[in-house]
Amino acid sequence: MTDFFKLHFFVPLAAVLGLVVVAYVGVQANLQLLFGVVVPYMAALIFIEGMVYRLIQWTRSPVPFRIPTTAAQNKSLPWIEKNLGEKLDNPETTKHVVGRMALEVLAFRSLFRNTRTELRQDPDHPEGARLIHWSYKWLWLGAIAFHYAFLVVILRHLRFFTEPVPGFVYLLDSVDGFLQFFVPVVYLSGLVLLVAAGYLLLRRILRPELRYISLAADYFPLFLILSIAITGILMRYFYKVDIVAVKDLALGLATFKPKVVAGIGVIFYIHLFLVCVLFAYFPFSKLMHAPGVFLSPTRNLACNSRWVRHVNPWNYPVKFHSYAEYEDKFREAMIEADIPVEKES
Amino acid sequence: MKLADLLSQKKATILERWLHLLLDSYPSETSGFFKKEKDPFNNPLAFRLSQGLQGVYEALLQDTARERILASLDDVISIKALENFSPSQAVAFIFLLKPVIREELATELKEAQLSEECLEVESRIDGLALLCFEVYMKRREKLYELRINEVKNQVSGLMRRTGLTLVTPQQ
Amino acid sequence: MAKAKVTVPTPAEILPGISYKTPEKGWMDVKPDFRPGTYCNPANPKWLEWIGYPYPRAWHVTDEDWHLPSDWKETILQGMEDRLSRFRSLKLFFDICVRCGACADKCHFFLGTGDPKNMPVLRAELMRSVYKRYFKPAGRLLGQLAGARDLTEDVIKEWFFYLYQCTECRRCSLFCPYGIDMAEMTILGRELLSSIGINIEWTLASVAQCYDKGSHIGATPQAMKDMIDFFAEENERVTGIYTPITYNRKGAEILFVAPSGDYFADPGTYTFMGYMLLFTYLGLDYTISTYAGEGGNFGFFMSHEMGKRLNAKIYAEAKRLGVKWIIGGECGHMWRILNQYMDTWNGPADFLEMPVSPITGTKFENAATTRMVHISEFTADLIKHGKLKLDPMRNAHIKLTFHDSCNTSRGMGIFEEPRYIIKNVLPEGHFVDMPPNTIREKTFCCGSGSGFNADEYLETRLRGGLPRANAVRYVHEKYGVNHLGCICAIDRAVLPTLLGYWVPEVEVTGISELVGNALVFDEEIERTTDLRDRDLVGVGEAEEGVEAAEAAEEEE
Ligand code: HEM
Ligand code: SF4
Ligand code: SF4
């Protein structure tokens, strides 16, 4: 274990545990107003303002060149046809750029590219190996599971913040909770989130090359999300809290009529506090990859720079060796070699 | 049981240990990847090393044509010759086989008769080691030759133009 | 403890890292080890003076003191700030990497050297850590904990080592979920290094020559003409067809621009002979320029600006000569630049016309504003319209696989045209592709792109090229492939070396060379050899060899 790893692993771990303690102590000290109202509003404010700030920061820098990664055949002669996949991997029109981005955001297209080949014994030709081509999708699967579970969990939480609860949330609830034989109903998304985040964490710790590159900024969000998931699950299945009271509090926050509701267990405040930290931390962290991916110039531009001019706002004239200078230097030799010149002498 | 039989029986484990030992000479952040990744195209280095070791091991067990032995040794040494290692580092891999065999067959080797056979195997390894030097020198020469050829190619058009030819010492 | 007593090392002790592990360190504490073969030589100061770039001086990579200018640190930081405000890519790529590691094992330099800092994510982190330290509050406050570190001379050395161990091939960007492109960061990082006078000789010599004389090779106009005229004679000797060419001719319809490698270095020269045969066959009204005699652009390997300065000559010359449009030869980075930068840098090319093939009437709509057409597009169009009489049997001695160059693949997207040509100029069954994860958009780099052709760098180049060569070796062993085709002049210069080390049985060829072999002229002499003076199949003793090869094929 290197000192580098210790620093980057244990400090964030301690930080998250510290946050848990802060919330616990705070609620014991009857600071419900702070943890139930003030902190959530502050977190929301930081989240929104931070996000806007960062987006402005990014968009203030222009995209001088059209540099999309061309992952398939470019537009060419009319008879060179492209199937839909190729059109999305090398988009020529805005429509296809949207398609490419949708695939990236919704299906993590680029992660999906991880193909592997293997030489395996070929049953038909025992002496020769055969090439097997397959896809290595563990990271993709882990990432997809993690993100979709996260999304579902967030959407399900809407039932606390809305009244009446929109229909799709019920729908989501029933699909997510189809494991009806347990009481209370077990939500799959929470478990998937836990397992997938756990996988992403283990991967980082166990694979030496990933451990080498991982920083505190990578462990901290994982610890945070894991603890949010764990406290959530504890709250739901083990240390039950008063759901009606929680909804009261949440609705109050959502309708800007905040109130302190008595009788909610401390575990809830820990959960809420961690969520607030996550939101406040979001704009200043690598979690900004979520909005960032939409701005990525290697993905969000059409590959049309040969037939639509792309303008660089800060393009400036440069000095280059002009033909006149060139001819001045080589005129005699050029004349002797029968190369046409502008001025005969 | 004869040692030769034991060696072919344990071929897979011995080869793997040998390869892993060799891969351990890369930074630990990378050796894990080299050991794990089985795609010959995404992990050409380990693939080539393992092909080479396998060929060398087979040559140890049965008589093999000299060219084939050299080719197998070359699979490994062609990589090692590029790594700015000293010559001794480039050929050390062959000696690593001895401790691997000794450890892998520790119990079996206690039988007196086997340990005699073991000496024989070890002297075959020494023979292979001598061949390693040849292969290593060839590879270093190849590097010089390529350097010269590259410079030659850069002006070869001109050479043809003027009807000159360059001859490198080796040719 | 045993170690202390032993004076003669055991084999395990000789190899690093086996018998004892060096104490493991975080990457910030590991310094690069500059050993011969792992770095390119610094640029000769005179080149910098030629092009007017800063801090010309003599220095050595292995010296402790690189004689950096006294204000080097401010220059770098200011340069970084400036680039952050000019390139959204840089800012974004610095900010959004999640270090998921999807790119880690995609870099050929990582796969070939096993150096963990050759993982693209870590290569980026070398620069990102400085960004965090000076441009991010968290980095300023928390230092290492936030992944930040001070900018020191050691960091500069590390940048030099690893930014010049990236060929700007973009393979990492293909697999990154956010398209983070190390190539883009390498380009900008090298700009920063260049701003404090750190450049490599191979690139700078080429740049200065190209700037001053017209081509990387530094050929004077008369030498260039002499050489190309010689090809016209060579073509006549081999095929009976004299292929004259005009230079700097005003009023020609088309300006042809090729990488200079094609008219000076083997085997690119044969590709050039192929171009000339094709154009003569068509009776094309074209000319080439001795002033804009370079399609390649090593300037791009040191900075965007220098790339632009060299590239500017092409449009300037097209304008002066009054041509209608431009054809570009087979070159990799040249085409990435033409596709991604040329119009933006030096356009609009409104003095040119929409490219239309005078033979087939095809409008090249895909080049509507750059007005520059790739020779493969041009040729494929001709073949499709049945305008070329081809005899594939003249390439029967060639069993080919095709190397997609990084630049034309991931920086342009040209995959089908060359393959279409290949299938038409080779006999059936003489073309096989390499395994799918090593070609097309996933192609492996030659390991020597972006200015690394230098011979002092040979070891690293060969290591970086191993993944490519390994796939070639597979098709060689399995299908008897004996030629590797490519549409890139750097490839034609460096792949012979790479294959000479790893798969010496395979030779390298341009695609237009194959076209030149196969083209049937009405008035040609009977061909007995290909453009390289090698006997054709069915001529002389070559016959037996082929029968044997075919018999072997049938057995398979
Ligand atoms: C547009 C939306 C988003 C996209 C396209 C996206 C995509 C990705 C991808 C492809 C990865 C890399 C694979 C992995 O390591 O799991 C990743 C990592 C991650 N994402 Fe997202 N993401 C999005 C939104 C979010 C949001 C809203 C969060 C909320 C907290 C989040 C949290 C994370 C975390 C913590 C990781 C790192 C996992 C690790 O350390 O291994 N992402 N994301
Ligand atoms: S794939 Fe992209 S996000 Fe993942 S580590 Fe590499 S650069 Fe970072
Ligand atoms: S651009 Fe190519 S060489 Fe550079 S880091 Fe990415 S994969 Fe490696």
Side-chain angles (χ1 to χ4, degrees):
Chain A
M1 213 188 280
T2 59
D3 290 342
F4 189 81
F5 172 74
K6 281 183 210 154
L7 176 73
H8 289 277
F9 184 84
F10 288 110
V11 172
L13 184 62
V16 171
L17 293 178
L19 291 171
V20 171
V21 172
V22 166
Y24 182 81
V25 172
V27 175
Q28 297 303 333
N30 281 326
L31 292 175
Q32 272 87 345
L33 178 66
L34 181 64
F35 284 92
V37 177
V38 179
V39 168
Y41 275 133
M42 267 170 51
L45 207 67
I46 296 175
F47 177 74
I48 292 165
E49 283 195 2
M51 191 85 118
V52 170
Y53 171 77
R54 294 297 302 276
L55 285 176
I56 290 174
Q57 282 282 309
W58 280 339
T59 47
R60 271 196 5 212
S61 300
V63 179
F65 303 115
R66 192 159 280 253
I67 54 163
T69 317
T70 53
Q73 176 66 40
N74 205 351
K75 174 169 167 177
S76 178
L77 301 158
W79 47 270
I80 294 183
E81 277 166 26
K82 291 163 70 175
N83 62 29
L84 182 63
E86 288 168 319
K87 283 181 185 157
L88 295 180
D89 277 344
N90 185 334
E92 295 164 15
T93 60
T94 312
K95 193 175 83 187
H96 290 129
V97 171
V98 171
R100 181 184 208 180
M101 289 311 298
L103 271 186
E104 287 291 358
V105 171
L106 301 176
F108 297 2
R109 167 77 180 101
S110 294
L111 271 190
F112 200 71
R113 280 183 202 282
N114 246 334
T115 45
R116 289 282 190 281
T117 47
E118 233 178 82
L119 287 173
R120 296 232 182 99
Q121 221 57 37
D122 186 341
D124 302 332
H125 302 273
E127 75 286 357
R130 185 177 49 151
L131 204 60
I132 312 269
H133 198 62
W134 55 291
S135 265
Y136 175 83
K137 302 271 186 285
W138 283 112
L139 173 59
W140 176 84
L141 194 70
I144 279 277
F146 171 75
H147 285 83
Y148 274 98
F150 201 93
L151 181 68
V152 171
V153 169
I154 289 186
L155 289 179
R156 273 202 293 99
H157 278 68
L158 284 180
R159 79 197 141 119
F160 295 119
F161 294 95
T162 50
E163 190 59 58
V165 178
F168 78 91
V169 176
Y170 282 123
L171 189 72
L172 210 61
D173 251 18
S174 59
V175 175
D176 197 4
F178 74 93
L179 289 176
Q180 299 259 355
F181 2 91
F182 300 101
V183 178
V185 173
V186 173
Y187 287 125
L188 270 184
S189 53
L191 293 180
V192 172
L193 180 65
L194 202 60
V195 171
Y199 162 75
L200 292 175
L201 179 63
L202 280 181
R203 193 175 156 268
R204 263 190 206 288
I205 302 171
L206 297 180
R207 287 193 28 197
E209 73 272 22
L210 286 177
R211 190 166 59 226
Y212 198 55
I213 61 176
S214 295
L215 303 173
D218 303 312
Y219 292 114
F220 183 68
L222 280 174
F223 290 145
L224 201 57
I225 291 170
L226 274 171
S227 358
I228 291 172
I230 291 169
T231 47
I233 286 171
L234 285 178
M235 187 161 43
R236 179 167 172 82
Y237 306 107
F238 302 101
Y239 306 101
K240 302 242 164 58
V241 291
D242 182 351
I243 295 290
V244 180
V246 168
K247 175 140 190 178
D248 228 19
L249 178 85
L251 259 184
L253 287 172
T255 53
F256 296 103
K257 289 175 208 129
K259 56 184 165 200
V260 178
V261 183
I264 310 178
V266 65
I267 180 112
F268 167 78
Y269 285 100
I270 296 176
H271 185 71
L272 181 64
F273 184 59
L274 294 175
V275 171
C276 291
V277 172
L278 181 66
F279 271 80
Y281 174 70
F282 198 101
F284 310 101
S285 70
K286 71 170 194 177
L287 300 178
M288 284 302 280
H289 65 269
V293 62
F294 292 94
L295 294 180
S296 179
T298 55
R299 292 289 184 271
N300 72 0
L301 294 170
C303 308
N304 59 4
S305 39
R306 282 175 75 198
W307 68 94
V308 178
R309 185 171 151 72
H310 180 92
V311 177
N312 171 3
W314 49 259
N315 198 23
Y316 57 94
V318 291
K319 170 163 169 34
F320 65 97
H321 199 62
S322 71
Y323 177 78
E325 289 170 272
Y326 172 84
E327 191 182 299
D328 284 347
K329 182 161 178 176
F330 292 110
R331 184 167 297 111
E332 267 166 44
M334 288 170 76
I335 292 171
E336 195 165 314
D338 276 339
I339 299 172
V341 288
E342 298 268 344
K343 284 190 271 177
E344 283 304 328
S345 61
Chain B
M1 203 189 254
K2 294 205 7 215
L3 183 62
D5 297 329
L6 271 176
L7 285 178
S8 32
Q9 222 178 54
K10 294 237 173 175
K11 180 175 161 188
T13 34
I14 293 180
L15 274 177
E16 182 169 289
R17 267 184 86 159
W18 192 14
L19 177 67
H20 282 192
L21 211 49
L22 198 55
L23 291 178
D24 278 336
S25 67
Y26 294 89
S28 61
E29 296 78 30
T30 327
S31 57
F33 168 79
F34 280 161
K35 289 175 193 167
K36 218 179 88 203
E37 175 64 77
K38 296 288 182 253
D39 181 339
F41 302 105
N42 201 36
N43 190 1
L45 191 137
F47 174 67
R48 201 173 160 109
L49 288 179
S50 87
Q51 295 261 300
L53 295 188
Q54 191 175 339
V56 174
Y57 193 74
E58 273 156 18
L60 198 65
L61 296 182
Q62 69 218 36
D63 289 330
T64 313
R66 190 182 156 90
E67 288 85 71
R68 284 211 34 200
I69 303 181
L70 290 178
S72 296
L73 290 172
D74 181 65
D75 276 345
V76 179
I77 293 174
S78 57
I79 287 176
K80 293 283 150 199
L82 293 178
E83 290 177 348
N84 300 292
F85 290 171
S86 61
S88 58
Q89 286 174 335
V91 301
F93 77 96
I94 193 80
F95 298 102
L96 294 178
L97 182 55
K98 291 185 186 179
V100 170
I101 291 180
R102 262 183 249 131
E103 282 164 36
E104 201 54 52
L105 301 178
T107 44
E108 290 90 336
L109 283 182
K110 294 224 173 79
E111 287 177 45
Q113 189 220 346
L114 272 191
S115 70
E116 206 156 279
E117 271 184 73
C118 187
L119 284 181
E120 225 169 85
V121 167
E122 295 202 343
S123 64
R124 281 183 83 129
I125 295 179
D126 294 339
L128 287 172
L130 292 177
L131 291 181
C132 282
F133 290 108
E134 254 173 62
V135 177
Y136 178 78
M137 279 315 291
K138 279 234 174 68
R139 274 296 166 184
R140 293 306 299 185
E141 273 167 22
K142 183 93 193 174
L143 280 175
Y144 295 122
E145 182 193 319
L146 288 173
R147 282 207 164 90
I148 293 168
N149 279 349
E150 204 160 64
V151 176
K152 250 174 58 181
N153 273 347
Q154 280 155 23
V155 290
S156 57
L158 269 184
M159 291 303 188
R160 279 195 291 134
R161 169 79 190 95
T162 49
L164 287 172
T165 42
L166 261 185
V167 185
T168 40
Q170 287 97 6
Q171 284 170 351
Chain C
M1 133 202 91
K3 242 191 98 208
K5 288 187 215 151
V6 179
T7 45
V8 181
T10 67
E13 280 166 344
I14 283 194
L15 276 177
I18 294 192
S19 64
Y20 61 95
K21 283 269 169 215
T22 42
E24 289 183 27
K25 292 179 190 162
W27 59 262
M28 286 188 190
D29 299 323
V30 182
K31 284 191 200 171
D33 186 4
F34 288 102
R35 283 180 294 187
T38 62
Y39 58 86
C40 296
N41 289 338
N44 189 321
K46 88 172 165 209
W47 308 131
L48 287 169
E49 280 155 16
W50 279 27
I51 58 170
Y53 268 32
Y55 306 117
R57 69 191 188 285
W59 58 283
H60 294 284
V61 173
T62 43
D63 284 353
E64 189 54 36
D65 182 1
W66 283 14
H67 304 292
L68 299 180
S70 56
D71 59 347
W72 68 268
K73 200 165 161 180
E74 292 77 55
T75 309
I76 293 275
L77 291 176
Q78 257 166 30
M80 207 177 219
E81 187 171 350
D82 171 50
R83 280 163 187 79
L84 285 168
S85 70
R86 281 191 291 133
F87 291 85
R88 185 182 302 168
S89 51
L90 187 65
K91 219 183 223 178
L92 201 74
F93 294 165
F94 273 157
D95 282 340
I96 65 175
C97 173
V98 299
R99 282 164 297 277
C100 67
C103 58
D105 58 346
K106 302 303 181 289
C107 178
H108 50 282
F109 277 117
F110 173 71
L111 298 177
T113 65
D115 184 339
K117 283 191 188 165
N118 272 329
M119 292 190 274
V121 42
L122 209 47
R123 200 191 307 285
E125 211 65 33
L126 302 180
M127 286 165 68
R128 189 177 286 123
S129 52
V130 172
Y131 163 73
K132 285 181 184 158
R133 167 68 184 75
Y134 296 94
F135 298 94
K136 290 262 148 185
R140 242 175 261 150
L141 280 173
L142 300 175
Q144 220 207 74
L145 186 59
R149 63 175 174 171
D150 287 336
L151 180 58
T152 63
E153 285 196 34
D154 279 336
V155 170
I156 293 294
K157 289 180 181 177
E158 197 181 31
W159 284 9
F160 175 77
F161 193 79
Y162 289 102
L163 295 183
Y164 282 97
Q165 236 171 92
C166 164
T167 45
E168 304 177 356
C169 80
R170 310 187 100 196
R171 195 166 191 267
C172 45
S173 102
L174 183 73
F175 294 89
C176 172
Y178 322 117
I180 293 178
D181 183 8
M182 188 57 221
E184 179 83 353
M185 286 191 265
T186 297
I187 295 168
L188 294 169
R190 288 191 191 174
E191 285 187 20
L192 291 175
L193 289 177
S194 183
S195 73
I196 55 170
I198 298 178
N199 300 282
I200 64 170
E201 169 67 10
W202 190 274
T203 298
L204 259 280
S206 306
V207 166
Q209 296 287 3
C210 183
Y211 185 76
D212 190 62
K213 299 208 179 80
S215 64
H216 294 151
I217 301 291
T220 55
Q222 62 273 30
M224 176 174 166
K225 172 167 191 286
D226 192 43
M227 194 65 215
I228 295 176
D229 284 348
F230 169 64
F231 296 150
E233 290 162 23
E234 281 288 281
N235 271 333
E236 182 172 27
R237 184 176 61 76
V238 177
T239 67
I241 305 296
Y242 183 58
T243 54
I245 194 166
T246 59
Y247 303 86
N248 302 6
R249 176 164 61 88
K250 287 196 174 176
E253 182 184 353
I254 294 165
L255 172 66
F256 179 61
V257 179
S260 62
D262 281 357
Y263 52 87
F264 273 97
D266 283 344
T269 46
Y270 303 107
T271 304
F272 205 93
M273 287 164 69
Y275 302 144
M276 293 168 82
L277 282 169
L278 176 70
F279 295 155
T280 304
Y281 181 95
L282 302 172
L284 207 65
D285 177 18
Y286 81 112
T287 190
I288 63 171
S289 163
T290 58
Y291 162 68
E294 178 63 80
N297 190 334
F298 274 50
F300 182 61
F301 300 149
M302 68 180 282
S303 67
H304 281 100
E305 180 180 276
M306 199 61 222
K308 180 176 170 181
R309 289 173 78 185
L310 296 185
N311 178 267
K313 289 188 191 180
I314 296 180
Y315 276 155
E317 183 69 345
K319 192 168 183 178
R320 184 183 76 88
L321 296 177
V323 299
K324 291 190 180 144
W325 54 286
I326 310 172
I327 295 182
E330 297 181 9
C331 183
H333 70 288
M334 156 178 170
W335 272 101
R336 168 153 166 211
I337 288 170
L338 298 177
N339 177 42
Q340 294 185 337
Y341 301 98
M342 184 172 187
D343 194 8
T344 306
W345 277 342
N346 295 312
D350 41 18
F351 48 88
L352 296 173
E353 291 175 15
M354 165 75 100
V356 177
S357 168
I359 319 298
T360 64
T362 300
K363 246 194 197 177
F364 293 96
E365 308 249 7
N366 58 342
T369 56
T370 44
R371 317 232 153 129
M372 185 148 177
V373 174
H374 193 290
I375 183 82
S376 294
E377 293 167 340
F378 183 68
T379 311
D381 175 61
L382 292 166
I383 295 176
K384 182 72 180 179
H385 285 84
K387 299 293 182 191
L388 302 182
K389 191 168 169 203
L390 299 164
D391 178 4
M393 286 315 289
R394 289 179 185 171
N395 284 318
H397 53 307
I398 289 174
K399 189 124 196 216
L400 191 84
T401 191
F402 183 67
H403 165 63
D404 292 280
S405 311
C406 324
N407 283 304
T408 53
S409 302
R410 290 178 288 261
M412 178 178 184
I414 178 164
F415 303 107
E416 296 303 337
E417 298 90 337
R419 284 181 171 78
Y420 180 79
I421 299 170
I422 288 168
K423 284 177 188 150
N424 279 283
V425 299
L426 285 182
E428 183 125 4
H430 278 236
F431 172 66
V432 276
D433 256 325
M434 286 176 273
N437 56 347
T438 69
I439 54 165
R440 292 183 179 256
E441 75 277 6
K442 293 188 184 126
T443 189
F444 274 120
C445 182
C446 60
S448 305
S450 84
F452 296 166
N453 331 36
D455 69 306
E456 73 265 17
Y457 205 44
L458 189 61
E459 279 87 350
T460 304
R461 290 166 46 197
L462 294 177
R463 296 170 82 184
L466 174 60
R468 171 37 78 223
N470 178 59
V472 175
R473 175 159 137 158
Y474 173 77
V475 285
H476 164 66
E477 284 174 354
K478 181 137 183 168
Y479 304 105
V481 162
N482 58 11
H483 280 74
L484 177 62
C486 60
I487 47 168
C488 171
I490 291 187
D491 281 336
R492 284 190 286 274
V494 302
L495 284 176
T497 308
L498 182 75
L499 297 182
Y501 193 81
W502 296 114
V503 208
E505 302 85 357
V506 178
E507 293 188 55
V508 177
T509 176
I511 302 307
S512 292
E513 177 185 343
L514 304 177
V515 175
N517 280 340
L519 262 186
V520 182
F521 291 74
D522 289 338
E523 60 280 24
E524 67 183 15
I525 55 173
E526 194 200 337
R527 295 222 207 159
T528 53
T529 66
D530 65 6
L531 295 180
R532 297 189 193 188
D533 284 332
R534 297 177 302 190
D535 284 337
L536 293 185
V537 169
V539 178
E541 46 179 40
E543 219 160 335
E544 295 157 37
V546 169
E547 270 164 25
E550 274 171 8
E553 226 168 83
E554 269 162 34
E555 262 172 49
E556 253 187 42

